[in-house]
Amino acid sequence: MAAWRKSRQVGRISRTTLRYAVFMCGAGGVALFSLAFAWIAEIALHWNRQLTSATPWLAFVMLPFGLATLRWLTIRLAPQARGSGIPQVIAAVTLPPAGPAQSVLVSLRQALWKVLLTAGGLLAGASIGREGPSVQVGAAAMLAWGQWCHRRLRFRIGFHPNALIAAGAAGGLAAAFNTPLAGVVFAIEELGRGTAVRWDRLVLSGVLTAGFVSLALFGNNPYFNVRTPILALDDAWGPVLLCALINGLLGGLFAKALIRGVPGMLPARWRGWPTAHPIRVAFVCGLIAAAIGWATDGATFGTGYEQAAGLINGEPVTGVAFGLAKLGATVVSYFAGVPGGIFTPALAIGAGLGENVAHLVGGIGEPRVLALVSMAAFLAAATQAPITASVIVMEMTRSQDLTLFLLAASLLASFLSRQFSPRPFYHQVGHAFRREAVQIERKAAPTAP
């Protein structure tokens, strides 16, 4: 009897170990997928910088025609890949597990197209990021891995689809920013809000594994390299709260504009035109984005990473209106309906607004502190995820000394944003994706005779 119990215990341990091993392998694959995506995106950004620096007027060709072409390709090849990718993941975890509607939103085929189309948008010069798309790509890759193991290797060890999606999505973000802790916080605050995702050790271990694989490959290097430590001074509270107010106001309006879309910006009698002519809308958005980029000497093209990194290192960008210009470029790039996220552009917008506040208050506030605090505040206002915003900025800059400033500004900015956009941007858009996926599922279902 004792021998039988011992063998049963060993079998249970082996089963648990195997379950973890398979799950961790999938999470490691998500990290590699995300890092490959980052490499492709960097090549696209490099080519765009070379082209627009040598021939600035080329942006007026690349952006309108590029965004129109990408919009056409998105409609025909990967309609569920448009936009950030985070709303699709949020919608997926609220749908019946393993159902057709869930698979539509996080399919591996859509994810592969998302990588290529997002890179195309960056090559054209759109003000988009790759981190949001990395979330959808990670979710799709992890779900595909779990389904493959279940089907081919016959591992019937309880891989719940929602757990796979959540671990892949948060792992993709952790690997994209090289921030394992922020990936865990994002999973709990964003993906776990109002969903039935079960946060067990397996899911959180998968998120951390993806982040640690990224750290192992690239070292413990922050996403933003702050060359000189930034000091937190008590007399900075006034400017910090001013940053929170300004970023909360503009971030709320930013989120509201993205939710309403082009139809919401037009008179009632014209609101049907954008839906009927999406390619033309993308072309016009490209023209506007090109004009904004030309007016700022190309500062608004791409993710905005270089500008944000310069501002938190005390290197001001060209022109005092960078923050507002980047906000406008990001809105019109999103309106074009091509794949691309808002994470890094939102950080760049916040950094630019922080520089404006530093000019406004004179020598009262340290410009680098205000740029850093505004990055977290604007991201919190845009997403209404203040804990994620403060942790991700803290971890990606290794600025633990400013954590209290970051958290206070993020909470206040998120509260103010809610007055303009009561429902969080990602969840509002995710609700629309959920309805769309359900409609696709119903149309595909066989009709009764």
Side-chain angles (χ1 to χ4, degrees), residues 10-93:
V10 171
R12 186 182 298 115
I13 294 173
S14 299
R15 177 188 174 90
T16 302
T17 302
L18 181 62
R19 189 167 183 254
Y20 266 89
V22 172
F23 208 85
M24 297 308 105
C25 286
V30 166
L32 296 177
F33 211 126
S34 181
L35 295 174
F37 186 9
W39 177 72
I40 295 171
E42 286 301 319
I43 291 176
L45 288 168
H46 176 69
W47 286 352
N48 175 264
R49 281 192 297 269
Q50 286 189 322
L51 291 170
T52 54
S53 297
T55 314
W57 59 263
L58 197 58
F60 286 94
V61 177
M62 294 169 58
L63 269 167
F65 287 100
L67 293 188
T69 302
L70 291 170
R71 179 59 173 150
W72 181 83
L73 290 171
T74 301
I75 292 172
R76 279 154 180 77
L77 300 175
Q80 306 306 318
R82 68 186 185 275
S84 166
I86 297 176
Q88 290 93 315
V89 172
I90 291 174
V93 296

Side-chain angles (χ1 to χ4, degrees), residues 211-299:
F212 291 152
V213 168
S214 176
L215 289 174
L217 292 175
F218 288 96
N220 190 22
N221 299 313
Y223 186 76
F224 288 107
N225 183 27
V226 180
R227 292 186 290 272
T228 305
I230 303 175
L231 300 177
L233 303 176
D234 291 339
D235 59 359
W237 274 109
V240 165
L241 294 178
L242 180 59
C243 284
L245 292 172
I246 293 174
N247 283 280
L249 170 65
L250 292 177
L253 295 174
F254 173 78
K256 185 175 182 179
L258 297 187
I259 291 171
R260 295 179 65 182
V262 177
M265 301 293 176
L266 298 176
R269 64 180 182 275
W270 292 349
R271 288 177 184 172
W273 186 85
T275 305
H277 304 283
I279 312 302
R280 297 180 187 179
V281 170
F283 186 89
V284 173
C285 289
L287 282 176
I288 298 172
I292 295 173
W294 178 79
T296 58
D297 294 329

Side-chain angles (χ1 to χ4, degrees), residues 1 21 63 98 120 136 141 145 152 158 216 224 232 236-237 255 267 281 286 299 310 322 343 351:
M1 186 69 176
L63 269 167
Q136 188 180 12
W145 168 254
R152 296 295 179 88
F224 288 107
W237 274 109
V281 170
F322 167 73
F343 244 99

